[in-house]
Amino acid sequence: GGDEFAVLMWNVSDAQAATKARDLEAAIAAVSVGDASISVGASAGIAPLAGHGSPAEISEVADKAMYARKKERRG
């Protein structure tokens, strides 16, 4: 199980958005709780808002991109 959320960014190129998505993944992986050893991971997919139509269509594109990234991270 997992939780899904969206981050909206303005004035960024696709390449900048991809870099920020990877930075977010790395920040989440670096989470620690005191001395406890925990494993936290995240997979981020990007979907440019321009040209994808409705919010539901944009969400679908982002969801597919997230699952593709998850598959890529798992090898």
Side-chain angles (χ1 to χ4, degrees):
D3 296 313
E4 295 182 15
F5 61 91
V7 175
L8 299 176
M9 293 182 278
W10 281 262
N11 301 318
V12 295
S13 68
D14 290 356
Q16 290 169 319
T19 297
K20 290 191 178 288
R22 299 307 170 260
D23 290 346
L24 179 60
E25 289 176 351
I28 290 169
V31 168
S32 64
V33 179
D35 293 333
S37 177
I38 62 172
S39 176
V40 181
S43 298
I46 65 166
L49 296 178
H52 285 296
S54 72
E57 291 169 327
I58 293 167
S59 179
E60 183 178 336
V61 169
D63 199 50
K64 286 180 182 177
M66 183 269 302
Y67 279 108
R69 176 65 179 151
K70 184 177 288 204
K71 183 176 180 180
E72 176 185 316
R73 288 182 64 237
R74 290 184 175 166

Coordinates of all heavy atoms in Angstrom, one line a residue:
G1 N 0.8 -1.2 0.0 CA 0.0 0.0 0.0 C 0.9 1.2 0.0 O 2.0 1.2 0.4
G2 N 0.3 2.3 -0.4 CA 1.0 3.5 -0.5 C 0.0 4.7 -0.6 O -1.2 4.5 -0.9
D3 N 0.6 5.8 -0.4 CA -0.2 7.1 -0.5 C 0.2 7.8 -1.7 O 1.4 7.8 -2.1 CB 0.0 7.9 0.7 CG -0.6 7.3 2.0 OD1 -1.7 6.7 1.9 OD2 0.2 7.3 3.0
E4 N -0.7 8.5 -2.4 CA -0.4 9.2 -3.6 C -0.7 10.7 -3.3 O -1.7 11.0 -2.6 CB -1.1 8.7 -4.8 CG -0.7 7.3 -5.2 CD -1.5 6.8 -6.4 OE1 -2.1 7.6 -7.1 OE2 -1.4 5.6 -6.6
F5 N 0.1 11.6 -3.9 CA -0.1 13.0 -3.7 C 0.4 13.7 -5.0 O 1.2 13.1 -5.8 CB 0.5 13.6 -2.5 CG 2.0 13.5 -2.4 CD1 2.8 14.5 -2.9 CD2 2.6 12.3 -1.9 CE1 4.2 14.3 -2.9 CE2 4.0 12.2 -1.8 CZ 4.8 13.2 -2.3
A6 N 0.0 14.9 -5.2 CA 0.5 15.7 -6.3 C 1.2 17.0 -5.9 O 0.9 17.5 -4.8 CB -0.7 16.1 -7.2
V7 N 2.1 17.4 -6.7 CA 2.8 18.6 -6.5 C 2.7 19.4 -7.8 O 3.1 18.9 -8.9 CB 4.3 18.4 -6.2 CG1 5.1 19.7 -6.1 CG2 4.5 17.6 -4.9
L8 N 2.2 20.6 -7.8 CA 2.0 21.4 -9.0 C 3.1 22.4 -9.0 O 3.4 23.1 -8.0 CB 0.7 22.1 -9.0 CG -0.6 21.2 -9.0 CD1 -1.8 22.1 -8.9 CD2 -0.6 20.3 -10.2
M9 N 3.8 22.5 -10.1 CA 4.9 23.5 -10.3 C 4.7 24.3 -11.5 O 4.3 23.8 -12.5 CB 6.2 22.7 -10.4 CG 6.7 22.0 -9.2 SD 8.3 21.2 -9.4 CE 7.8 19.7 -10.3
W10 N 4.9 25.6 -11.4 CA 4.8 26.5 -12.5 C 6.2 27.0 -12.9 O 7.1 27.0 -12.2 CB 4.0 27.8 -12.0 CG 2.5 27.6 -11.9 CD1 1.6 27.9 -12.9 CD2 1.8 26.9 -10.9 NE1 0.4 27.5 -12.5 CE2 0.4 26.9 -11.2 CE3 2.1 26.4 -9.7 CZ2 -0.6 26.4 -10.5 CZ3 1.1 25.8 -8.9 CH2 -0.2 25.9 -9.3
N11 N 6.2 27.4 -14.2 CA 7.4 27.9 -14.8 C 8.6 27.0 -14.7 O 9.7 27.5 -14.4 CB 7.7 29.3 -14.2 CG 6.6 30.3 -14.4 OD1 6.0 30.4 -15.4 ND2 6.3 31.0 -13.3
V12 N 8.4 25.7 -14.9 CA 9.5 24.8 -15.0 C 9.4 24.0 -16.3 O 8.3 23.7 -16.8 CB 9.6 23.8 -13.8 CG1 9.8 24.5 -12.5 CG2 8.3 23.0 -13.7
S13 N 10.6 23.6 -16.8 CA 10.6 22.8 -18.0 C 10.3 21.3 -17.6 O 10.4 21.0 -16.4 CB 11.9 22.9 -18.7 OG 12.9 22.3 -17.9
D14 N 10.1 20.4 -18.5 CA 10.0 19.0 -18.2 C 11.2 18.5 -17.5 O 11.1 17.7 -16.6 CB 9.7 18.2 -19.5 CG 8.3 18.5 -20.1 OD1 7.5 19.2 -19.5 OD2 8.0 17.9 -21.1
A15 N 12.4 18.9 -18.1 CA 13.7 18.5 -17.5 C 13.8 18.9 -16.0 O 14.2 18.2 -15.1 CB 14.8 18.9 -18.3
Q16 N 13.4 20.2 -15.8 CA 13.5 20.7 -14.4 C 12.5 20.0 -13.5 O 12.8 19.6 -12.3 CB 13.2 22.2 -14.4 CG 14.2 23.1 -15.0 CD 13.8 24.5 -15.2 OE1 12.6 24.7 -15.6 NE2 14.7 25.4 -14.9
A17 N 11.3 19.6 -14.0 CA 10.3 18.9 -13.2 C 10.9 17.5 -12.9 O 10.7 17.0 -11.8 CB 9.0 18.8 -13.9
A18 N 11.5 16.9 -13.9 CA 12.1 15.5 -13.6 C 13.2 15.6 -12.6 O 13.2 14.7 -11.7 CB 12.6 14.9 -14.9
T19 N 14.0 16.6 -12.6 CA 15.1 16.8 -11.6 C 14.5 17.0 -10.2 O 14.9 16.3 -9.3 CB 16.0 17.9 -12.0 OG1 16.6 17.6 -13.2 CG2 17.0 18.2 -10.9
K20 N 13.4 17.8 -10.1 CA 12.8 18.0 -8.9 C 12.1 16.8 -8.3 O 12.1 16.5 -7.1 CB 11.8 19.2 -9.0 CG 12.5 20.5 -9.1 CD 11.6 21.7 -9.0 CE 12.3 23.0 -9.1 NZ 13.2 23.3 -8.0
A21 N 11.6 16.0 -9.2 CA 10.9 14.7 -8.8 C 12.0 13.8 -8.3 O 11.7 13.1 -7.2 CB 10.2 14.1 -10.0
R22 N 13.1 13.7 -8.9 CA 14.2 12.8 -8.4 C 14.7 13.3 -7.0 O 15.1 12.6 -6.1 CB 15.4 12.7 -9.4 CG 15.0 12.1 -10.7 CD 14.3 10.7 -10.6 NE 13.8 10.3 -11.9 CZ 12.6 10.5 -12.3 NH1 11.6 11.0 -11.5 NH2 12.2 10.0 -13.5
D23 N 14.8 14.7 -6.9 CA 15.2 15.3 -5.6 C 14.2 14.9 -4.5 O 14.6 14.6 -3.4 CB 15.4 16.8 -5.7 CG 16.5 17.2 -6.6 OD1 17.4 16.4 -6.9 OD2 16.6 18.4 -7.0
L24 N 12.9 14.9 -4.8 CA 11.9 14.6 -3.9 C 12.0 13.1 -3.5 O 11.9 12.8 -2.3 CB 10.5 14.9 -4.5 CG 9.3 14.5 -3.6 CD1 9.3 15.3 -2.3 CD2 8.0 14.8 -4.3
E25 N 12.3 12.2 -4.4 CA 12.5 10.8 -4.1 C 13.7 10.6 -3.1 O 13.6 9.9 -2.2 CB 12.8 10.0 -5.4 CG 11.6 9.8 -6.3 CD 11.9 9.1 -7.6 OE1 13.1 8.9 -7.9 OE2 11.0 8.8 -8.3
A26 N 14.8 11.4 -3.4 CA 15.9 11.3 -2.6 C 15.7 11.8 -1.2 O 16.1 11.2 -0.2 CB 17.1 12.0 -3.2
A27 N 14.9 12.9 -1.1 CA 14.6 13.5 0.2 C 13.8 12.5 1.0 O 14.0 12.3 2.2 CB 13.9 14.8 0.1
I28 N 12.8 11.9 0.4 CA 12.0 10.9 1.1 C 12.8 9.7 1.6 O 12.6 9.2 2.7 CB 10.8 10.5 0.2 CG1 9.8 11.7 0.1 CG2 10.0 9.3 0.8 CD1 8.7 11.5 -1.0
A29 N 13.7 9.2 0.7 CA 14.5 8.1 1.1 C 15.5 8.4 2.2 O 15.9 7.5 2.9 CB 15.3 7.6 -0.1
A30 N 15.8 9.7 2.5 CA 16.7 10.1 3.5 C 16.0 10.3 4.9 O 16.6 10.6 5.8 CB 17.4 11.3 3.1
V31 N 14.7 10.1 4.9 CA 13.9 10.3 6.2 C 14.4 9.3 7.3 O 14.7 8.1 7.0 CB 12.4 10.1 5.9 CG1 11.7 10.0 7.2 CG2 11.9 11.2 5.1
S32 N 14.6 9.8 8.4 CA 15.0 9.0 9.6 C 14.2 9.4 10.8 O 13.7 10.6 10.9 CB 16.5 9.1 9.9 OG 16.8 10.4 10.3
V33 N 14.0 8.5 11.7 CA 13.3 8.8 12.9 C 14.2 8.4 14.1 O 14.3 7.2 14.5 CB 12.0 8.0 13.0 CG1 11.2 8.3 14.3 CG2 11.1 8.3 11.8
G34 N 14.8 9.4 14.7 CA 15.7 9.2 15.8 C 16.8 8.2 15.4 O 17.4 8.2 14.4
D35 N 16.9 7.1 16.3 CA 17.9 6.1 16.0 C 17.3 4.9 15.3 O 18.0 3.9 15.0 CB 18.5 5.6 17.3 CG 19.3 6.7 18.0 OD1 19.9 7.5 17.3 OD2 19.5 6.6 19.2
A36 N 16.0 5.0 15.0 CA 15.3 3.9 14.3 C 15.8 3.7 12.9 O 16.0 4.7 12.2 CB 13.8 4.1 14.4
S37 N 15.9 2.5 12.5 CA 16.2 2.2 11.1 C 14.9 1.9 10.3 O 14.2 1.0 10.6 CB 17.1 1.0 11.0 OG 17.4 0.7 9.7
I38 N 14.6 2.8 9.4 CA 13.4 2.7 8.6 C 13.7 2.8 7.1 O 14.7 3.3 6.8 CB 12.3 3.7 9.0 CG1 12.8 5.1 8.7 CG2 11.9 3.6 10.4 CD1 11.8 6.2 8.9
S39 N 12.9 2.2 6.3 CA 13.1 2.2 4.9 C 11.8 2.9 4.3 O 10.7 2.4 4.5 CB 13.2 0.8 4.3 OG 13.3 0.9 2.9
V40 N 12.1 4.0 3.7 CA 11.0 4.8 3.0 C 11.3 5.0 1.6 O 12.5 5.4 1.3 CB 10.7 6.1 3.8 CG1 9.6 6.9 3.1 CG2 10.5 5.9 5.2
G41 N 10.4 4.8 0.7 CA 10.7 5.0 -0.7 C 9.6 5.7 -1.4 O 8.4 5.7 -0.9
A42 N 9.9 6.4 -2.5 CA 8.8 7.0 -3.3 C 9.2 7.0 -4.7 O 10.4 6.9 -5.1 CB 8.7 8.5 -2.8
S43 N 8.2 6.9 -5.6 CA 8.4 7.0 -7.0 C 7.6 8.2 -7.5 O 6.4 8.2 -7.3 CB 8.0 5.7 -7.7 OG 8.8 4.6 -7.2
A44 N 8.2 9.1 -8.3 CA 7.5 10.3 -8.7 C 7.5 10.3 -10.3 O 8.4 10.0 -10.9 CB 8.3 11.5 -8.3
G45 N 6.3 10.5 -10.8 CA 6.1 10.6 -12.2 C 5.6 12.0 -12.5 O 5.0 12.7 -11.7
I46 N 6.0 12.5 -13.7 CA 5.7 13.9 -14.0 C 4.7 13.9 -15.2 O 4.7 13.0 -16.0 CB 6.9 14.8 -14.3 CG1 7.6 14.3 -15.6 CG2 7.8 14.9 -13.2 CD1 8.6 15.3 -16.2
A47 N 3.8 14.9 -15.2 CA 2.9 15.1 -16.3 C 2.7 16.6 -16.6 O 2.2 17.3 -15.7 CB 1.5 14.5 -15.9
P48 N 3.3 17.1 -17.7 CA 3.1 18.5 -18.0 C 1.6 18.8 -18.1 O 0.8 18.0 -18.7 CB 3.8 18.7 -19.4 CG 4.7 17.5 -19.5 CD 4.1 16.4 -18.7
L49 N 1.2 20.0 -17.6 CA -0.2 20.3 -17.6 C -0.6 20.7 -19.1 O -1.8 20.4 -19.4 CB -0.4 21.5 -16.7 CG -0.2 21.2 -15.2 CD1 -0.5 22.5 -14.4 CD2 -1.1 20.1 -14.7
A50 N 0.2 21.3 -19.8 CA -0.1 21.8 -21.2 C -0.3 20.6 -22.1 O 0.5 19.7 -22.1 CB 1.0 22.7 -21.7
G51 N -1.4 20.6 -22.8 CA -1.7 19.6 -23.8 C -2.3 18.3 -23.4 O -2.5 17.4 -24.2
H52 N -2.7 18.2 -22.1 CA -3.2 16.9 -21.6 C -4.7 17.0 -21.3 O -5.3 16.0 -20.9 CB -2.5 16.4 -20.4 CG -1.2 15.8 -20.7 ND1 -1.0 14.7 -21.5 CD2 0.1 16.2 -20.4 CE1 0.3 14.5 -21.7 NE2 1.0 15.4 -21.0
G53 N -5.3 18.2 -21.4 CA -6.8 18.3 -21.2 C -7.2 18.4 -19.8 O -6.7 19.2 -19.0
S54 N -8.2 17.6 -19.5 CA -8.9 17.7 -18.2 C -8.0 17.3 -17.0 O -7.0 16.6 -17.2 CB -10.1 16.8 -18.2 OG -9.8 15.5 -18.1
P55 N -8.4 17.7 -15.8 CA -7.6 17.2 -14.6 C -7.6 15.7 -14.5 O -6.6 15.2 -14.1 CB -8.4 17.9 -13.5 CG -9.0 19.1 -14.0 CD -9.4 18.7 -15.5
A56 N -8.7 15.0 -14.9 CA -8.7 13.6 -14.8 C -7.6 13.0 -15.8 O -7.0 12.0 -15.5 CB -10.1 13.0 -15.1
E57 N -7.5 13.6 -17.0 CA -6.6 13.1 -18.0 C -5.1 13.4 -17.5 O -4.3 12.5 -17.7 CB -6.8 13.8 -19.3 CG -8.1 13.3 -20.0 CD -8.5 14.2 -21.2 OE1 -8.2 15.4 -21.2 OE2 -9.1 13.6 -22.1
I58 N -4.9 14.5 -16.9 CA -3.6 14.9 -16.4 C -3.2 13.9 -15.3 O -2.1 13.4 -15.2 CB -3.5 16.3 -15.9 CG1 -3.7 17.2 -17.1 CG2 -2.2 16.6 -15.2 CD1 -3.9 18.7 -16.8
S59 N -4.2 13.6 -14.4 CA -3.9 12.7 -13.3 C -3.6 11.3 -13.8 O -2.7 10.6 -13.3 CB -5.2 12.6 -12.4 OG -5.0 11.7 -11.4
E60 N -4.3 10.9 -14.9 CA -4.0 9.5 -15.5 C -2.6 9.5 -16.1 O -1.9 8.5 -15.9 CB -5.0 9.3 -16.6 CG -4.9 7.9 -17.2 CD -5.9 7.6 -18.3 OE1 -7.0 8.2 -18.2 OE2 -5.6 6.7 -19.1
V61 N -2.2 10.6 -16.8 CA -0.8 10.6 -17.3 C 0.2 10.6 -16.2 O 1.2 9.8 -16.3 CB -0.6 11.9 -18.2 CG1 0.8 12.1 -18.6 CG2 -1.5 11.8 -19.4
A62 N 0.0 11.3 -15.1 CA 0.9 11.3 -14.0 C 1.0 10.0 -13.3 O 2.0 9.5 -12.9 CB 0.5 12.4 -13.0
D63 N -0.2 9.3 -13.2 CA -0.2 8.0 -12.6 C 0.6 7.0 -13.4 O 1.3 6.2 -12.8 CB -1.7 7.6 -12.4 CG -1.9 6.5 -11.4 OD1 -1.4 6.6 -10.3 OD2 -2.6 5.5 -11.7
K64 N 0.4 7.0 -14.7 CA 1.1 6.1 -15.5 C 2.6 6.3 -15.5 O 3.4 5.4 -15.4 CB 0.7 6.2 -17.0 CG -0.7 5.6 -17.2 CD -1.1 5.7 -18.7 CE -2.5 5.1 -18.9 NZ -3.0 5.3 -20.2
A65 N 3.0 7.6 -15.4 CA 4.4 8.0 -15.3 C 5.0 7.5 -13.9 O 6.1 7.0 -13.9 CB 4.6 9.5 -15.4
M66 N 4.2 7.6 -12.9 CA 4.6 7.2 -11.6 C 4.9 5.7 -11.5 O 5.9 5.2 -11.0 CB 3.6 7.6 -10.5 CG 4.0 7.2 -9.1 SD 3.4 5.6 -8.5 CE 1.7 5.6 -8.7
Y67 N 4.0 4.9 -12.1 CA 4.1 3.5 -12.2 C 5.3 3.0 -13.0 O 6.0 2.1 -12.7 CB 2.8 2.8 -12.6 CG 1.9 2.6 -11.5 CD1 0.7 3.4 -11.4 CD2 2.1 1.7 -10.4 CE1 -0.2 3.3 -10.3 CE2 1.2 1.6 -9.3 CZ 0.1 2.4 -9.3 OH -0.8 2.3 -8.2
A68 N 5.6 3.8 -14.1 CA 6.7 3.5 -14.9 C 8.0 3.8 -14.2 O 9.0 3.0 -14.2 CB 6.7 4.4 -16.2
R69 N 8.0 4.9 -13.4 CA 9.2 5.2 -12.6 C 9.4 4.1 -11.5 O 10.5 3.7 -11.2 CB 9.0 6.6 -11.9 CG 10.1 6.9 -11.0 CD 11.5 7.1 -11.6 NE 12.5 7.5 -10.6 CZ 13.7 7.2 -10.7 NH1 14.2 6.5 -11.7 NH2 14.5 7.6 -9.7
K70 N 8.3 3.7 -10.9 CA 8.4 2.6 -9.8 C 9.0 1.4 -10.4 O 9.9 0.7 -9.8 CB 7.0 2.3 -9.3 CG 6.9 1.3 -8.1 CD 5.5 1.1 -7.6 CE 5.2 2.4 -6.8 NZ 4.1 2.2 -5.8
K71 N 8.6 1.0 -11.6 CA 9.1 -0.2 -12.3 C 10.6 0.0 -12.6 O 11.4 -0.9 -12.4 CB 8.3 -0.5 -13.6 CG 8.7 -1.7 -14.3 CD 7.9 -2.0 -15.5 CE 8.3 -3.2 -16.3 NZ 7.5 -3.5 -17.4
E72 N 11.0 1.2 -13.0 CA 12.3 1.5 -13.3 C 13.2 1.4 -12.1 O 14.3 0.9 -12.1 CB 12.4 2.9 -13.9 CG 13.8 3.5 -14.2 CD 13.8 4.9 -14.6 OE1 12.9 5.3 -15.4 OE2 14.6 5.7 -14.1
R73 N 12.7 1.9 -11.0 CA 13.5 1.9 -9.7 C 13.7 0.5 -9.2 O 14.7 0.2 -8.6 CB 12.8 2.7 -8.6 CG 12.9 4.2 -8.9 CD 12.2 5.1 -7.8 NE 12.9 4.9 -6.5 CZ 12.3 4.4 -5.4 NH1 11.0 4.1 -5.4 NH2 13.0 4.3 -4.3
R74 N 12.7 -0.4 -9.4 CA 12.8 -1.8 -9.0 C 13.7 -2.6 -9.9 O 14.0 -3.8 -9.5 CB 11.4 -2.3 -8.8 CG 10.7 -1.7 -7.7 CD 9.3 -2.3 -7.5 NE 8.7 -1.8 -6.3 CZ 7.4 -1.9 -6.0 NH1 6.6 -2.6 -6.8 NH2 6.9 -1.4 -5.0
G75 N 14.0 -2.1 -11.1 CA 14.8 -2.9 -12.0 C 14.0 -3.9 -12.7 O 14.0 -4.8 -13.2

